[in-house]
Amino acid sequence: MPRKTHKDKNKRGQRPTENRTPRPKPKIDFTEDALDFKNTNLLRQYVTDQGRILPRKYTGMPAHYQRRLTTAIKRARQMLLMK
């Protein structure tokens, strides 16, 4: 019995890839030192109305900035500077 082949797939059995244009990276206009739990005006820009921290997908920050942002927001919450 002959094997079934899919003509719309490439060699590895995956879908054909599309040529996508890369999304432009947002500019970060502050330094890593500005990510402090006392800087609540900056931290509130990265929190939703319900109090959830925005993910990297929406903030466009590098991973090490996002980790520092998360810890700064959590510390500000513990100090009752933010809700």
Side-chain angles (χ1 to χ4, degrees), residues 37 43 53 67-80 82:
F37 70 95
L43 297 180
I53 302 171
R67 284 192 295 269
R68 296 225 15 205
L69 174 75
T70 303
T71 55
I73 290 172
K74 289 179 181 180
R75 283 183 185 164
R77 286 176 181 164
Q78 285 183 341
M79 297 289 210
L80 299 177
M82 289 179 64

Side-chain angles (χ1 to χ4, degrees), residues 14-67:
Q14 300 169 345
R15 292 184 180 172
T17 57
E18 299 174 7
N19 290 332
R20 296 182 185 170
T21 58
R23 189 181 341 173
K25 301 279 184 183
K27 303 290 182 194
I28 300 170
D29 57 346
F30 58 88
T31 61
E32 195 173 0
D33 298 330
L35 287 175
D36 190 28
F37 70 95
K38 295 174 271 187
N39 194 355
T40 57
N41 293 329
L42 178 68
L43 297 180
R44 286 184 186 167
Q45 295 175 1
Y46 298 102
V47 176
T48 63
D49 295 335
Q50 292 88 22
R52 295 181 181 170
I53 302 171
L54 291 173
R56 268 186 73 201
K57 179 180 178 181
Y58 298 116
T59 60
M61 298 177 119
H64 64 281
Y65 271 52
Q66 185 72 24
R67 284 192 295 269

